[in-house]
Amino acid sequence: MYDTSHHAQILTNARLATLSGDHGYGLIDGVLVIAGGAIEYVGPRTGLPEKYRNSPETDLGGRLVTPGLIDCHTHLVYSGSRANEFEMRLTGKTYAEISKAGGGIVSTVSATRDASDETLLAETHGRLGRLLAEGVSTVEIKSGYGLDMETELRMLRTARKLSEQRPVRIKTSFLGAHAIPAGMNADTYIDDICIPALRAAHAEGLVDAVDGFCENIGFTPDQIRRVFDCAKSLGLPVKLHAEQLSDQGGAKLAADYDALSADHLEYISDQAIAAMASSGVVAGILPGAFYFLGETQKPPIEKFRAAGINMAIATDSNPGSSPMTSILLAMNMAATLFGMTPEEALRGVTINAAKALGLTDCGRLAAGLRADVAIWDVTHPAELTYRMGDAPLYQRIFEGSIC
Amino acid sequence: MYDTSHHAQILTNARLATLSGDHGYGLIDGVLVIAGGAIEYVGPRTGLPEKYRNSPETDLGGRLVTPGLIDCHTHLVYSGSRANEFEMRLTGKTYAEISKAGGGIVSTVSATRDASDETLLAETHGRLGRLLAEGVSTVEIKSGYGLDMETELRMLRTARKLSEQRPVRIKTSFLGAHAIPAGMNADTYIDDICIPALRAAHAEGLVDAVDGFCENIGFTPDQIRRVFDCAKSLGLPVKLHAEQLSDQGGAKLAADYDALSADHLEYISDQAIAAMASSGVVAGILPGAFYFLGETQKPPIEKFRAAGINMAIATDSNPGSSPMTSILLAMNMAATLFGMTPEEALRGVTINAAKALGLTDCGRLAAGLRADVAIWDVTHPAELTYRMGDAPLYQRIFEGSIC
């Protein structure tokens, strides 16, 4: 897969958080060899193969090296801001008043539909830049603020363009089933707009996975099922926003469809936890929305742990419920608000986030994987979760190149 | 105070959050004139005095301009990290186990005592840099991790050095009464070490204000009173960590001594609120520690509002209870966790933070004040509080110079 004829580079004197194994950081004090965009060797200096004897070395001074971070749940492509709505809420305005003033998801849908391709791209670049400055190598981006054929496709094209213009890997999710357009029947929307848009987006090669919002203010399991059936017929993996505000049975549905992940999960039932564990569905933990919306029901982290479910953590970056562009802050919130350990936090934005995207070529430091790497100005991985509002990135390596 | 013979510079096409008046942003679309390190004019273009007709202009493209931000409560000078303690707590270790492993404030005191002057300065520079990158112009820094004469003075000298080496204004607070050194009687510590250290630090010109930690795990009001009496005798203003974890009567004590501010205040009584209002004591709101420690009792924001108490917001940056180096995140937490409005959040890190430091020459945009200014890549001030993990700073101006 990688051109290994390129000259090898050796990073020495590194504290390597390899994330090997099922638990822990997999810490090794040693060296990392990169060649042709891939990792060729990770391990102690003493085990370095002879063939690298004359390769150039860079001393990292004992710095921590992790896999490039992975933000596996974002709504990064959109136009407009909801700061006014945030301010209205804090000055005591009611939901009805905010809605009447044009607030809510409707405002983002309008702004996104109205934005030119250039504007949409430029606004998203700003947010993406913040993630890259924190050592992120891979970002999942959803559609879902178009809710019409044209804009859903434009959002996904914008997401694709980002990876052509910046050193980052983008995985797209079609999220036509995000909200019901104003004045429209949900079933009609699913059948007449959402599913045709999915087919069109897939035909254009724009879709890596299919997502939905299963909620009493979103879509029913039956409506989501129709979207998932279409996804399956197209050979696309699915994922789901499930049990964020109430228990709709979304997580069980996700498990039935062998979803990559079910995300949020504050109101998940014990039965659905068992179903997710049995199907190997990743739990997407999104503390940003919990925090920003002032929710009190936390996702059952201890039960996920006990069931052996892999937990990923993401920013859920979006203008309405998580205007967050810091994956490190998401890690801190997962620990501080939900009690996840710093080990779980790091695994949540590396190996488990990779699993949530169906990726097996990244998320750990191991020979044969992509050379997407973050080098940090700290020596212990717990620092990444502990600090609030700091981004102690020393260097980001994407596909083997410093950038 | 300022050399106004320097040529004037005009920033045009600016959204000026002047913070004039007792409420609101004081928004003006207009121009800002800077000369000799001071603001000479703020207002609409139409009112610009004739004498500036030939002065050079810079078009800000409608960007938001605020006063340089002020972080009025930090423990920025220290050595070492408490990430290990954070991790132990999240992996279920008890307080006793953490303490036995050398955790707690004791570990920071040891690391700070052991650090060379160079190390202490270098570690603090890293944290200070994060604040400056968010448009901060003025930072309060406390001693309190020495708990002996020598290290308390070294901490304050380090704080002074920062402002010689970076474009930032530092205000120091002597916080000898921060914790009781291991194996020592609190009264003995106050009388034999803390107060003599305060006198020595003052003699060296190192002290701008005197602070204390009044708490059941800190010092009693009677002990704090002895420190405050010494402060008064030296002509120094006082402030206090009060009612963070329990009601010890600290806020009332602060009011009795006309303190600049009383900070934390989660457990403040109605009587003490009235006393603070009557004495004009600023309430220092510190959401970082509330969040990081997982506290549930919030400071009574509505009561402060009703009593007309000025509320400042700060990072409380420290390794044990608020390892935060983002003033914007503190603003977001004050809104999201405590219900402060974006207006209150901005006033809390500008005009009210200036009041908490006894400063009258900054914190607003007005003729005659220092030209400490932040220019932002947003058009509405609510954006600064709304975003999580973003720092949309366009430019920072300190004493009239871009830096």
Side-chain angles (χ1 to χ4, degrees), chain B residues 8-24:
Chain B
Q9 295 188 3
I10 308 183
L11 304 178
T12 68
N13 196 9
R15 201 93 209 275
L16 302 153
T18 64
L19 287 317
S20 63
D22 287 340
H23 298 284

Side-chain angles (χ1 to χ4, degrees), chain A residues 116-128:
Chain A
S116 68
D117 289 355
E118 293 69 29
T119 299
L120 202 54
L121 190 64
E123 292 189 31
T124 309
H125 264 304
R127 292 183 282 270
L128 180 63

Side-chain angles (χ1 to χ4, degrees), chain A residues 388-390, chain B residues 131 134 315 324-331 390:
Chain A
M388 291 147 58
D390 193 6
Chain B
L131 293 178
E134 289 195 342
T315 60
M324 181 199 274
T325 46
S326 168
I327 189 91
L328 297 176
L329 183 57
M331 293 164 71
D390 193 5

